[in-house]
Amino acid sequence: MSAPSERPLRAVALVCSLKPSPAPSSSALMAEHIVANLRGAGVQTEPLRCVDYAIAPGVEADMGDGDEWPRIREKLLDADILVLATPIWLGHPCSVTQRVLERLDADLSTTDADDRPVMVGRVAVVGVVGNEDGAHKVIADCFQALNDIGYTIPAQGGTYWVGEAMQSTDYADLDEVPEAVAATTAALARNAAHLAGALRAAQYPPYQ
């Protein structure tokens, strides 16, 4: 098995759409655009649509009784980068996103050999879509939670698209991605890959 420093960086994209596969999803498309840019930076990627799994409510690493979060958690522990893609609903991250963050909360108290929370040293970025305002607030909410859990946020680590308020156009309906959104998504991926490489080379100091 390759040493961690020798293998390619890895990213897992958690798509928090309310729609199960294979339904078209703007959140899934945003995640696809982010991971495409990450692949261009040499990062191995794996997207997962969260509603395709039985993620039980709770704040433990394993809630038992058919809970499939542990399968997802193992992938996150093996990854260097988390991509969190969420729609805006009622001005907030959707309920699936909140459940993911609540499950990640368990890893505040799960520590490594140096007493660091296990997610410390990993990078997280956020992609948001919606047809109303609120992207900055949703990104801020997700950033705060992810940083509390131990993830590091890169410069310009959020990207988003929101359509006109009170209208029905979705990100997936666009003929092409607006230039400003594409440029922001590309910067997010470059910075995330750079930061993940830097943290792999020099982990945060021990907490002991």
Side-chain angles (χ1 to χ4, degrees):
M1 180 180 295
S2 297
S5 60
E6 296 173 348
R7 66 165 173 78
L9 293 169
R10 296 173 181 163
V12 172
L14 296 185
V15 178
C16 295
S17 172
L18 300 179
K19 303 173 183 176
S21 301
S25 161
S26 288
S27 298
L29 183 60
M30 174 62 81
E32 180 182 320
H33 291 160
I34 294 171
V35 300
N37 279 278
L38 285 170
R39 287 194 297 269
V43 180
Q44 295 179 347
T45 64
E46 180 180 6
L48 301 173
R49 199 176 301 202
C50 292
V51 292
D52 293 342
Y53 295 82
I55 302 175
V59 290
E60 303 295 333
D62 187 346
M63 299 301 297
D65 296 327
D67 179 26
E68 292 187 290
W69 175 254
R71 293 172 54 192
I72 298 174
R73 181 176 177 270
E74 284 302 313
K75 293 178 183 293
L76 298 180
L77 290 171
D78 197 41
D80 304 282
I81 300 169
L82 165 61
V83 176
L84 189 66
T86 179
I88 301 170
W89 281 109
L90 301 174
H92 299 277
C94 79
S95 59
V96 177
T97 309
Q98 184 64 28
R99 180 163 296 189
V100 165
L101 294 172
E102 288 166 354
R103 295 304 303 272
L104 282 168
D105 182 77
D107 287 311
L108 274 167
S109 56
T110 305
T111 57
D112 65 14
D114 291 312
D115 207 31
R116 293 176 293 242
V118 292
M119 295 304 178
V120 167
R122 293 171 174 80
V123 171
V125 295
V126 176
V128 173
V129 293
N131 56 17
E132 57 186 274
D133 200 4
H136 282 176
K137 177 189 181 301
V138 169
I139 290 171
D141 288 349
C142 293
F143 276 179
Q144 180 62 57
L146 291 164
N147 189 251
D148 280 352
I149 291 158
Y151 283 98
T152 300
I153 311 300
Q156 297 181 314
T159 187
Y160 67 91
W161 178 89
V162 287
E164 185 178 353
M166 308 298 289
Q167 301 299 314
S168 59
T169 301
D170 291 332
Y171 186 64
D173 297 329
L174 302 179
D175 294 329
E176 60 181 355
V177 178
E179 182 177 348
V181 177
T184 301
T185 301
L188 173 153
R190 286 196 306 272
N191 293 346
H194 172 81
L195 180 58
L199 287 172
R200 178 188 287 182
Q203 171 63 293
Y204 287 103
Y207 281 25
Q208 296 174 344

